[in-house]
Amino acid sequence: MAAEKTDGLILRVTDFSETSRVVVVFTRDFGKISALAKGGRRLKGPFESALDLLAHCRVVFLRKSSSGLDLLTEAQLLGRFRPQEKDLSCLYAGYYVAELLLSLTEEYDPHPQLFQAALEALEAFGRREDLRRGVARFELVLLRELGQLPDFEACVACGAPLTEGRTFGFWVSQGGLICPDCQREEFSQITIHAGTAAALRVLAGEGDQAWRRLQLSPQQDKELKRVTTSAISHVLGRRPKLLNHLP
């Protein structure tokens, strides 16, 4: 078995024996892996106390050909998730990132851009930047990488482009926004304004940092959360557990 080396985020750590642990790691190059860390509970060993939840590590592991656990042989700490002291919202936001990666990604399905988005989100939470904006950015990148990003460019019913000065409905089961002309009372939908639709497009954008400069009004923040919560819950099949602890 050849050793694989990559960067990863620790998503879950479970004691396996008196000396070992089972860890779930979301890696940049291989996606999610589950591995046995022999000696992972010892203070001194090949893991250097790196196996903490949401730690950013450089890991070395042996990939098993069968359905069993991979074998983690090294973990070098690159950075820890450090939320502001006594700021539970930032802490829960980090846990929320872990919950979504655990629940919605598959083993050995790499998404380098999603890995980078998770790192950026955790760093932003630690600096106590706009928490809601950072959470929404990660949610939308996750949906994009999974091929589940709703259409925020045009009406999903008639294809008409979305224009300023109007309100739109978000139709989660059809994956996008509905213009006023196509809205019906029987549709289960969330109403948002044009400014929120524009903010969603910026936050979901690929390859730039324009989302960091985005300033959200209280109304936009509320509407945006309703849209992303609905979309994530629809893909997950339930409401994420950590959402109740986020602002």
Side-chain angles (χ1 to χ4, degrees):
M1 293 180 291
E4 307 284 9
K5 187 174 183 179
T6 185
D7 288 0
L9 282 172
I10 306 297
L11 300 183
R12 179 184 290 158
V13 181
T14 307
D15 290 341
F16 181 76
S17 68
E18 291 184 358
T19 59
S20 301
R21 287 174 167 168
V22 172
V23 296
V24 180
V25 189
F26 186 67
T27 70
R28 185 188 299 275
D29 301 304
F30 302 95
K32 186 171 63 181
I33 66 168
S34 298
L36 178 64
K38 292 183 177 180
R41 297 186 66 183
R42 295 177 181 147
L43 294 179
K44 294 184 179 180
F47 306 111
E48 302 177 354
S49 301
L51 302 183
D52 290 335
L53 184 61
L54 294 175
H56 178 203
C57 305
R58 181 158 294 126
V59 298
V60 179
F61 67 98
L62 299 176
R63 184 172 179 176
K64 293 294 183 68
S65 57
S66 65
S67 59
L69 293 170
D70 295 330
L71 181 63
L72 190 68
T73 59
E74 295 179 37
Q76 177 187 0
L77 182 66
L78 299 177
R80 296 189 189 278
F81 173 49
R82 297 186 181 278
Q84 296 292 321
E85 187 176 357
K86 298 181 180 180
D87 191 339
L88 290 180
S89 294
C90 288
L91 180 65
Y92 286 132
Y95 291 169
Y96 179 59
V97 168
E99 179 185 4
L100 294 186
L101 290 175
L102 280 167
S103 301
L104 291 175
T105 61
E106 301 292 336
E107 294 207 352
Y108 286 100
D109 181 19
H111 291 277
Q113 291 188 0
L114 179 57
F115 178 84
Q116 187 61 37
L119 283 183
E120 291 177 355
L122 295 175
E123 291 170 0
F125 300 158
R127 293 193 298 267
R128 199 55 173 94
E129 294 181 8
D130 187 324
L131 191 64
R132 183 60 231 160
R133 183 183 62 193
V135 168
R137 167 65 177 178
F138 176 75
E139 291 171 321
L140 291 167
V141 172
L142 174 62
L143 290 169
R144 187 185 73 210
E145 288 292 303
L146 296 178
Q148 298 287 340
L149 183 67
D151 186 353
F152 301 125
E153 299 286 346
C155 174
V156 295
C158 69
L162 304 180
T163 56
E164 295 295 328
R166 308 175 80 188
T167 59
F168 307 95
F170 177 61
W171 195 5
V172 65
S173 63
Q174 297 300 313
L177 301 181
I178 316 170
C179 71
D181 295 336
C182 294
Q183 292 180 30
R184 301 290 185 272
E185 290 185 3
E186 61 268 25
F187 293 165
S188 177
Q189 61 191 36
I190 297 167
T191 300
I192 67 172
H193 290 76
T196 304
L200 284 162
R201 291 194 292 272
V202 172
L203 285 164
E206 187 174 356
D208 63 53
Q209 297 293 308
W211 66 273
R212 291 186 180 276
R213 301 186 294 273
L214 193 64
Q215 298 296 319
L216 300 172
S217 70
Q219 181 186 50
Q220 290 173 338
D221 187 74
K222 182 178 180 180
E223 292 176 353
L224 188 147
K225 183 176 181 179
R226 293 182 67 194
V227 168
T228 58
T229 296
S230 178
I232 289 288
S233 299
H234 180 73
V235 174
L236 188 58
R238 59 173 174 81
R239 182 181 172 87
K241 297 177 182 177
L242 270 301
L243 267 182
N244 293 333
H245 300 284
L246 298 181

